[in-house]
Amino acid sequence: KETSFELKMEKSANMENWSVEKVCSYLKDLGAKDVSLVIEEGVDGRALVGLTAEDLKELGIPMGARSKHLRVMRGEIDVESL
């Protein structure tokens, strides 16, 4: 049986393969309305997994969406459950 750490690493690895468009779709699903800076900055999945709350704020991502993304990255909630 896989541990939660192994599952988290697998999800993170999958997220790293996301295109900029997929990242935008994901952030919109979390509640972000304007993802224009994400597009402008070319934030793909590889970049997304390393972003901090401050980075997300600078990209114009609202607090609720930032919180949900950080919880996904910590393995507290499942990206598929959003």
Side-chain angles (χ1 to χ4, degrees):
K1 185 177 180 182
E2 291 181 285
T3 66
S4 62
F5 176 76
E6 288 168 336
L7 289 171
K8 179 181 172 189
M9 295 309 293
E10 180 181 325
K11 287 179 182 151
S12 176
N14 289 337
M15 192 178 278
E16 283 186 2
N17 295 322
W18 288 2
S19 66
V20 173
E21 293 77 18
K22 174 72 175 167
V23 168
C24 289
S25 176
Y26 163 74
L27 291 172
K28 286 179 181 179
D29 286 348
L30 295 182
K33 303 266 187 278
D34 181 7
V35 293
S36 59
L37 283 176
V38 174
I39 296 167
E40 186 178 314
E41 296 292 335
V43 178
D44 61 8
R46 187 163 295 203
L48 179 68
V49 298
L51 295 180
T52 65
E54 187 62 31
D55 296 332
L56 292 164
K57 185 177 182 179
E58 286 182 31
L59 289 169
I61 306 304
M63 184 182 294
R66 289 194 308 266
S67 174
K68 289 175 191 173
H69 171 67
L70 294 172
R71 290 184 66 204
V72 166
M73 295 311 300
R74 289 191 302 262
E76 295 174 6
I77 57 177
D78 189 11
V79 74
E80 285 82 25
S81 70
L82 299 171

